Amino acid sequence: MWIQALRVIPRISREEWQRLDIISRWLISTRAAVLIMTFTSAGIAGLLAAHAGKFDLLRWFLLTIGLIFAHATNNLLNDYTDYARGVDANNYFRTQYGPQPLEQGLMTKREHLTYAAVTGLIALAAGAYLVAVNGPLALGLLLIGAFFVLFYTYPLKYVGLGELAVLLVWGPLMIGGGYYVITGQWDWNVALAGLVYALGPTTVIFGKHIDKRAEDAAKGIRTLPVILGETASRYVVLAMMALEYLGVIALVLMGYFSPVMLVVLGALYWLRPALTVYRRPRPSEPPREEPARSAWPLYFVAASFYQSRAYGLFFMLGLILQLIVR
């Protein structure tokens, strides 16, 4: 179950849940499959620090733990907030693609908040050490991160700022800030490189919000896809996917990245099916093709996730090759 929960968000019954160990329950509750995007951000920050000759293993390890557990805390608080506001009631989108422990009665409020508190304290402990060794700027970065953890679900997601928050968090904050706490130096080129990578996770959240646009609109949750409409939102995602690759090419031409970073173009193989999905409106019924049928009601988000995951892995491969060539 650990491996399965890290690969996908598994659908399980109450009986199956009761037989699970505490780690499996935590992985499922935090939607651990999407934490790979956060690990990739931490990995990119570490590789860029190594490229600058300033990698510190302890700082990178604590950065990685802090970011992953902060993301997990956000997911737990997201479910708690939506449950408390009644958003996830009546077979809402969230309960269709994976367990919502509170809404489905798998956990009590107290148990859920305990998970969130312990997870958040682990993230805070890692962050506190990095603040202690880096000073005021690291404290500022930690406070900004805490703001997004606590307020992404409400009110940011409700007023069309959730997607922008993801772009800033997974890019300049995680990668630019991560580079800073590892090396002790801020670098705008690193922040720009982080912004290019963050387009991938942003397409994932955009895809998810397009998938549940009708449900969100009915509940007064004004995500960007609700504001822009489905067609415009699909073209925004297509533009971001193109910019993921164009951004790497631009950084190579600027001289910040070595030409070996063009290995990221290998991820274009996974881009093609995503483009096919986004060029058409969302179907009203589950598609016939696999894996889209099995993932339903996840449709656009599933296409974004597979593309983003491949892109992130090729991005890291390029950074590793840079180190080898140097």
Side-chain angles (χ1 to χ4, degrees):
M1 180 56 72
W2 293 5
I3 295 172
Q4 184 181 355
L6 289 168
R7 290 180 57 253
V8 297
I9 300 174
R11 295 180 171 97
I12 60 172
S13 66
R14 183 189 298 270
E15 292 72 23
E16 291 171 320
W17 174 269
Q18 291 173 345
R19 293 196 299 268
L20 294 176
D21 61 277
I22 190 170
I23 301 298
S24 295
R25 292 184 181 187
W26 183 85
L27 291 170
I28 293 171
S29 300
T30 60
R31 285 169 271 160
V34 300
L35 300 182
I36 181 64
M37 295 184 293
T38 298
F39 175 79
T40 304
S41 286
I44 291 171
L47 287 168
L48 291 174
H51 191 262
K54 298 177 181 177
F55 181 75
D56 184 295
L57 180 59
L58 176 60
R59 293 189 186 190
W60 176 79
F61 176 75
L62 291 174
L63 168 73
T64 304
I65 293 297
L67 292 180
I68 289 175
F69 277 77
H71 185 184
T73 303
N74 175 260
N75 285 348
L76 289 166
L77 292 178
N78 192 326
D79 278 352
Y80 184 86
T81 301
D82 284 344
Y83 172 78
R85 295 178 64 84
V87 171
D88 288 338
N90 303 318
N91 198 34
Y92 178 66
F93 185 90
R94 168 70 182 90
T95 62
Q96 296 177 35
Y97 66 80
Q100 211 288 30
L102 283 170
E103 187 63 38
Q104 294 171 237
L106 304 178
M107 299 172 69
T108 65
K109 286 189 189 179
R110 182 172 182 176
E111 289 172 333
H112 195 92
L113 287 176
T114 300
Y115 271 50
V118 172
T119 304
L121 285 173
I122 292 172
L124 186 61
Y129 174 85
L130 295 171
V131 168
V133 297
N134 284 289
L137 179 55
L139 176 61
L141 293 169
L142 186 147
L143 292 175
I144 293 171
F147 170 81
F148 285 120
V149 166
L150 294 173
F151 300 110
Y152 163 77
T153 303
Y154 185 84
L156 297 179
K157 185 175 72 174
Y158 279 66
V159 293
L161 294 177
E163 298 80 6
L164 178 60
V166 169
L167 182 65
L168 294 176
V169 168
W170 265 263
L173 186 60
M174 285 192 184
I175 297 177
Y179 177 90
Y180 170 76
V181 299
I182 294 171
T183 67
Q185 295 180 348
W186 179 266
D187 189 320
W188 285 108
N189 285 322
V190 173
L192 179 58
L195 198 63
V196 170
Y197 166 73
L199 289 166
T202 307
T203 67
V204 174
I205 198 68
F206 238 100
K208 180 180 178 181
H209 290 169
I210 298 173
D211 279 337
K212 62 192 189 84
R213 187 180 62 85
E215 291 89 340
D216 281 343
K219 291 179 180 282
I221 305 172
R222 293 182 59 77
T223 62
L224 269 184
V226 171
I227 296 170
L228 298 176
E230 182 187 305
T231 301
S233 297
R234 286 192 287 109
Y235 282 106
V236 168
V237 172
L238 289 171
M240 286 193 291
M241 288 179 174
L243 287 173
E244 289 180 73
Y245 298 90
L246 294 175
V248 171
I249 294 172
L251 286 165
V252 169
L253 294 175
M254 289 167 53
Y256 180 65
F257 279 164
S258 161
V260 298
M261 273 298 294
L262 294 178
V263 71
V264 78
L265 298 178
L268 288 172
Y269 177 83
W270 286 269
L271 175 64
R272 290 183 299 170
L275 295 181
T276 300
V277 167
Y278 272 98
R279 281 199 295 261
R280 298 192 293 258
R282 189 175 192 271
S284 57
E285 297 180 355
R288 295 180 179 179
E289 315 85 45
E290 295 289 350
R293 184 176 184 83
S294 298
W296 189 265
L298 303 178
Y299 184 68
F300 289 121
V301 62
S304 288
F305 178 73
Y306 291 125
Q307 192 282 143
S308 176
R309 183 171 62 180
Y311 174 81
L313 293 174
F314 272 90
F315 198 102
M316 290 183 68
L317 174 62
L319 294 176
I320 292 170
L321 290 176
Q322 276 197 149
L323 286 174
I324 295 172
V325 169
R326 190 190 68 168

